[in-house]
Amino acid sequence: AMMQAGYSAWLCQTFAKYAVGSGLGEIKVIMSGFVIKRFLGGWTLLIKCVGLVLSVGSGLSIGKEGPFIHVCVCVANVTSRLFSKYSTNEGKKRELLSSAAAAGVAVAFGAPIGGVLFS
């Protein structure tokens, strides 16, 4: 258990510093129009997912709501790069990220209406 928790912390510190924490505050900042480079990138998504599995597997008591929202928004951001409609238009991209955050809230709490209210 200690090895898993230590490996999770090492992965985050070494490869994706933005994968640390819940990420919910930063997502709200991004939704308001600020740009945080590499916060929603592929490395952050990969390390966040692996780190969550290792942390939960080691028995750490971590909240799932913030990380679920961060993972959903990362998936939406990585996917938006594939389509020119979203990669060239920041307004459309922000709408997509907002929808992904709402989906993350709905999944984390099991409340679809709560997800709609979040967005």
Side-chain angles (χ1 to χ4, degrees):
M2 292 292 287
M3 293 290 288
Q4 285 179 326
Y7 189 59
S8 173
W10 177 79
L11 279 174
C12 290
Q13 286 295 70
T14 306
F15 296 108
K17 294 190 186 288
Y18 288 126
V20 176
S22 75
L24 189 56
E26 291 88 350
I27 288 171
K28 288 183 176 183
V29 168
I30 290 171
M31 296 291 181
S32 68
F34 289 97
V35 175
I36 302 176
K37 298 268 186 202
R38 293 180 300 192
F39 183 74
L40 300 175
W43 274 109
T44 305
L45 173 64
L46 178 69
I47 299 300
K48 184 83 163 191
C49 290
V50 172
L52 279 173
V53 169
L54 290 172
S55 297
V56 171
S58 70
L60 291 177
S61 176
I62 58 173
K64 64 178 183 175
E65 293 82 11
F68 271 3
I69 296 168
H70 190 190
V71 167
C72 286
V73 175
C74 283
V75 167
N77 186 53
V78 170
T79 306
S80 72
R81 295 178 192 163
L82 302 175
F83 302 100
S84 62
K85 177 180 180 180
Y86 297 109
S87 62
T88 58
N89 189 344
E90 284 298 317
K92 288 286 185 190
K93 188 178 203 178
R94 198 171 306 142
E95 287 177 8
L96 183 67
L97 296 180
S98 176
S99 300
V105 169
V107 167
F109 291 108
I113 302 298
V116 172
L117 293 176
F118 180 79
S119 65

